[in-house]
Amino acid sequence: MFALIDCNSFYVSCERVFRPNLNNKPVIVLSNNDGCVIARSNEAKELGIKMGEPAFKITDFLEKNNVTTFSSNYVLYGDMSHRVMNTLSQFAPEIEIYSIDEGFLNLTGMLVDLEDYAQRMRQTICKNTGIPVSVGIGPTKVLAKTANYYAKKVSEKGAFILDTPDKIDEALKIFEIGEVWGIGRQYATMLSHHQVKTAWDFIQLPDEWVKKKMTIVGLRVKKELEGVSCLPMELIAPAKKAICTSRSFGEFQTTIEPMKEAVATFVSRCAYKLRRQHSCAKTIMVFIHTNGFNQSDPQYAKNIVIPLPVATNSTIELTRYALIALEAIFKAGYRYKKAGILVTEIVPETEVQQSLFDTVDRDKHAEIMKAMDTINARFGRETLRLAVQGYNPRWKLRQEKLSQCYTTRWNEIITVKI
DNA sequence: TCTGGGGTCCTAGGACCC
DNA sequence: TCTGGGGTCCTAGGACCC
């Protein structure tokens, strides 16, 4: 049996831990740049606020309905996620951290009453972290996901267990096909044209048909729904094959200087992520574009891929190439909204193909990076950085409703007034 | 005026190799 | 009239996830 534990309205719940006065009130969290709604409390959902809704379209509505709004605080959510996963890992020998707010447990061979065990997980996580979670349990990952859906939607106890063929049958017969994990909008539409409305309809289809129309991936989903486990636990997160850092600017940029600062900052994030997974990248891509939503503005979008002479994770070296790339694609006369960096062709740092004609002292770079990472780990991100990253960036994110980093910064720790 | 930021996998088709 | 057989690598596009 697999369990899927999913935090309820995770970002909202993180904010509420430190603002308990917001319990039972409508609360939402916005995406970066205070753009779209990406997390909603149940009360906010009941008000009809949609996932992905642009915030500016509902400003008046939010005020009228006393909806508390937060900017995204990923430092806080990341740390809270660690705490949840730590507690969760005590409940089974095998845990897969599937996303910031979800984890699978492998309960195979565990002689426990599943109902009890699910409740113990919920209580312990709530006690240790303050985060409410839902628990779904089933014989495959897809069925555990399905069970989790019912845990959230119908169960009053926050847990749901699909452990007998009858229960599974009953659940699948009323489970909308588009809600199945692995069936997205396109497939749901395609399937509905073939009179497939529910998960149960779906598993009545012939395997060959499903494979032809939906590739092997779709067939796996079908098998999992039938109770045949095809998706194994992934205990160790595999090294990333691509790493991207990109941001929308708080204000439009029309000159190259602030964009250089932005690009250099994004490179430093990418390089850090590479070092953290002990990898180097052989290719870097820089992209910039204007605001596609604004039809009346002249539009421009361009990316450029730079193959590197030797795979690297040095911020200094990557920045040099990225700035050359930016110079090459930047065109004056546009209002730029976004820029980003993508590094690919990632290899383990122990398997870097050297070059006979290398002019870079790689040992020295490695030492500098190590020193930088040590200092920044102790004194905070970007304490030590390249001068080209600048200060007081003009491109900064809009974050008007940012909460404190209660759990990771001493000077932002919660204050209790008596 | 204001619309996020990450990732993965699969397949088909074309170019190329012997 | 007849024109082999077996591969790899790369890319673009399309689907999905949080």
Side-chain angles (χ1 to χ4, degrees):
Chain A
M1 295 296 271
F2 296 88
L4 176 70
I5 294 83
D6 187 320
C7 301
N8 300 346
S9 314
F10 182 54
Y11 298 169
V12 166
S13 297
C14 290
E15 301 290 352
R16 275 176 168 171
V17 170
F18 301 93
R19 293 280 302 277
N21 60 318
L22 297 178
N23 287 341
N24 308 312
K25 303 221 172 96
V27 180
I28 58 170
V29 176
L30 303 179
S31 60
N32 268 341
N33 230 24
D34 293 348
C36 301
V37 177
I38 55 166
R40 303 159 297 159
S41 70
N42 284 335
E43 299 76 13
K45 288 175 192 168
E46 278 160 21
L47 284 172
I49 299 170
K50 298 264 175 347
M51 190 70 170
E53 182 83 340
F56 73 89
K57 287 188 177 171
I58 53 170
T59 341
D60 293 343
F61 180 87
L62 296 177
E63 190 158 347
K64 210 180 288 173
N65 290 280
N66 282 317
V67 179
T68 306
T69 305
F70 288 96
S71 304
S72 288
N73 184 344
Y74 289 105
V75 176
L76 176 65
Y77 311 151
D79 186 64
M80 293 302 287
S81 173
H82 272 124
R83 295 170 184 225
V84 169
M85 298 304 166
N86 266 336
T87 297
L88 196 54
S89 64
Q90 296 162 16
F91 282 88
E94 287 191 349
I95 177 172
E96 172 181 338
I97 298 168
Y98 176 69
S99 75
I100 194 165
D101 73 330
E102 282 172 73
F104 285 101
L105 293 184
N106 186 354
L107 302 181
T108 307
M110 295 189 57
L111 303 171
V112 290
D113 181 291
L114 293 174
E115 290 280 0
D116 281 358
Y117 208 57
Q119 290 309 325
R120 268 179 53 202
M121 286 181 206
R122 298 184 66 239
Q123 285 153 12
T124 314
I125 291 170
C126 191
K127 182 179 147 211
N128 289 5
T129 68
I131 301 289
V133 303
S134 301
V135 180
I137 298 179
T140 68
K141 282 179 155 184
V142 171
L143 287 171
K145 268 273 193 186
T146 306
N148 194 281
Y149 177 90
Y150 285 108
K152 278 215 169 77
K153 297 272 168 169
V154 303
S155 164
E156 273 150 36
K157 295 184 290 181
F160 198 87
I161 296 160
L162 287 174
D163 52 355
T164 67
D166 284 352
K167 274 198 212 167
I168 293 172
D169 237 43
E170 197 185 333
L172 296 190
K173 278 187 176 162
I174 55 167
F175 197 45
E176 256 180 67
I177 185 65
E179 297 291 343
V180 174
W181 188 42
I183 308 291
R185 248 216 327 246
Q186 305 298 323
Y187 282 147
T189 306
M190 184 276 284
L191 288 167
S192 77
H193 289 140
H194 290 89
Q195 278 65 55
V196 174
K197 311 287 183 196
T198 67
W200 194 84
D201 296 338
F202 181 56
I203 61 175
Q204 307 311 307
L205 296 167
D207 283 0
E208 309 76 59
W209 189 90
V210 172
K211 181 163 180 204
K212 197 171 150 223
K213 290 277 196 182
M214 305 170 68
T215 80
I216 188 72
V217 181
L219 184 54
R220 274 190 211 122
V221 172
K222 177 174 183 249
K223 288 292 155 200
E224 286 253 326
L225 283 170
E226 290 169 358
V228 179
S229 180
C230 335
L231 304 174
M233 293 284 287
E234 285 195 5
L235 306 182
I236 301 158
K240 298 237 185 302
K241 297 173 177 175
I243 294 174
C244 180
T245 303
S246 72
R247 292 287 179 279
S248 297
F249 304 135
E251 293 166 23
F252 290 109
Q253 298 302 322
T254 52
T255 59
I256 196 168
E257 288 308 320
M259 292 176 63
K260 281 186 180 172
E261 296 181 2
V263 162
T265 303
F266 303 158
V267 171
S268 108
R269 278 304 289 164
C270 278
Y272 170 72
K273 292 179 198 171
L274 280 170
R275 296 194 293 273
R276 204 176 46 186
Q277 69 166 32
H278 304 291
S279 297
C280 290
K282 190 85 194 330
T283 304
I284 182 168
M285 179 175 95
V286 178
F287 62 90
I288 56 177
H289 60 79
T290 50
N291 182 6
F293 289 105
N294 200 340
Q295 296 296 334
S296 54
D297 265 15
Q299 297 290 323
Y300 176 68
K302 186 86 177 162
N303 71 67
I304 186 168
V305 176
I306 308 237
L308 303 168
V310 176
T312 182
N313 58 22
S314 159
T315 304
I316 297 169
E317 195 185 3
L318 286 165
T319 302
R320 217 183 66 201
Y321 287 104
L323 291 178
I324 294 170
L326 177 64
E327 299 265 10
I329 56 177
F330 179 88
K331 278 207 287 188
Y334 293 99
R335 290 166 15 108
Y336 291 96
K337 178 64 179 169
K338 187 170 179 176
I341 301 294
L342 178 72
V343 292
T344 51
E345 292 188 66
I346 291 174
V347 295
E349 60 189 0
T350 50
E351 292 171 26
V352 171
Q353 175 66 55
Q354 305 295 320
S355 161
L356 275 178
F357 309 105
D358 200 356
T359 52
V360 175
D361 185 341
R362 296 190 181 275
D363 292 339
K364 195 167 167 184
H365 275 245
E367 276 185 54
I368 296 171
M369 290 306 114
K370 201 174 159 191
M372 244 173 104
D373 290 342
T374 310
I375 289 167
N376 288 340
R378 170 144 182 210
F379 297 102
R381 201 184 274 188
E382 307 290 353
T383 301
L384 188 57
R385 61 180 138 177
L386 301 192
V388 69
Q389 290 180 240
Y391 290 88
N392 299 321
R394 278 163 280 177
W395 53 272
K396 256 296 192 236
L397 284 178
R398 207 171 34 240
Q399 292 181 307
E400 287 172 3
K401 312 271 171 72
L402 192 61
S403 54
Q404 291 159 239
C405 293
Y406 300 100
T407 61
T408 51
R409 290 182 193 158
W410 286 115
N411 57 344
E412 295 186 20
I413 204 163
I414 193 164
T415 318
V416 179
K417 289 181 187 142
I418 301 173

